[in-house]
Amino acid sequence: MASSTSPLPDAFEHVYSSHHGWLQAWLWRKMGSHEDAAELAQDTFLRLLASRASESLQEPRAYLRTVAHGLLVNHWRRLELERAYLAALAARPEQEEPSPEERSLVLETLMQIDSMLDSLAPRARRAFLLSQLDGLTYAEIALELGVSDRMVKKYMAQAMLQCMLLVQA
């Protein structure tokens, strides 16, 4: 009797049962936390399930490690943003401390900005940061990056477009 279900659940179940323990142990070695490793392992398998790539994987561990590494980098980036934000809060007078809801909104906004910056080409991102954080002029940025003023204007236009898209989202 032929099964009426797709091979996807069987393929996914096989990859999951064969590699979940290995992936969680790999993540634990990277993170030092069983709970965080378990959560990122689950997120990795959710990505695999959503991609529907289970049945065509030639090297499942390489695929899982690549996806998990991306999630791990995002996790570390989020932690770094949270630490920087908490350090900035600690430097403020106590009477100005934001509510937990305000903190959550600020952290979410910071992560969106970080994601937007990550979507830019490296030179466009660097030009934007040199302009916005260091206050450099376009001519100074051009010298720093070794490009023309016109190219800096293009980089800044790309970055500003991403900012506008972020605001409209």
Side-chain angles (χ1 to χ4, degrees):
M1 176 188 239
S3 173
S4 63
T5 61
S6 140
L8 182 62
D10 291 338
F12 176 80
E13 186 176 320
H14 174 70
V15 171
Y16 185 89
S17 63
S18 298
H19 302 289
H20 181 267
W22 164 82
L23 180 63
Q24 191 166 337
W26 182 82
L27 286 165
W28 176 76
R29 285 190 304 277
K30 299 282 185 190
M31 303 177 82
S33 163
H34 288 289
E35 293 81 19
D36 289 342
E39 186 175 325
L40 280 184
Q42 288 305 107
D43 288 348
T44 301
F45 280 102
L46 284 174
R47 294 266 176 110
L48 174 63
L49 186 60
S51 74
R52 301 184 153 283
S54 306
E55 58 194 32
S56 63
L57 287 179
Q58 298 297 316
E59 297 290 333
R61 286 192 176 184
Y63 178 87
L64 293 169
R65 186 175 31 246
T66 300
V67 173
H69 182 264
L71 292 171
L72 188 58
V73 168
N74 287 341
H75 174 79
W76 286 333
R77 184 179 288 156
R78 186 175 62 250
L79 288 177
E80 188 177 320
L81 281 172
E82 287 177 16
R83 278 193 288 270
Y85 176 63
L86 291 174
L89 280 180
R92 293 174 64 176
E94 197 172 309
Q95 66 215 27
E96 295 180 26
E97 188 159 326
S99 69
E101 294 82 16
E102 290 171 319
R103 281 187 195 181
S104 179
L105 286 173
V106 168
L107 284 172
E108 183 179 330
T109 302
L110 285 172
M111 288 189 293
Q112 288 173 337
I113 292 168
D114 183 60
S115 178
M116 179 276 297
L117 289 171
D118 199 41
S119 73
L120 294 172
R123 284 190 176 204
R125 178 177 46 251
R126 180 110 169 96
F128 180 76
L129 292 173
L130 287 170
S131 170
Q132 299 303 305
L133 298 180
D134 296 338
L136 295 172
T137 66
Y138 285 12
E140 292 169 328
I141 295 169
L143 284 174
E144 176 79 20
L145 297 179
V147 297
S148 67
D149 289 0
R150 185 171 179 224
M151 198 66 216
V152 171
K153 288 178 185 176
K154 285 183 180 181
Y155 292 153
M156 292 302 292
Q158 291 170 5
M160 292 300 176
L161 174 62
Q162 290 302 313
C163 288
M164 293 297 296
L165 293 172
L166 182 62
V167 169
Q168 291 176 354

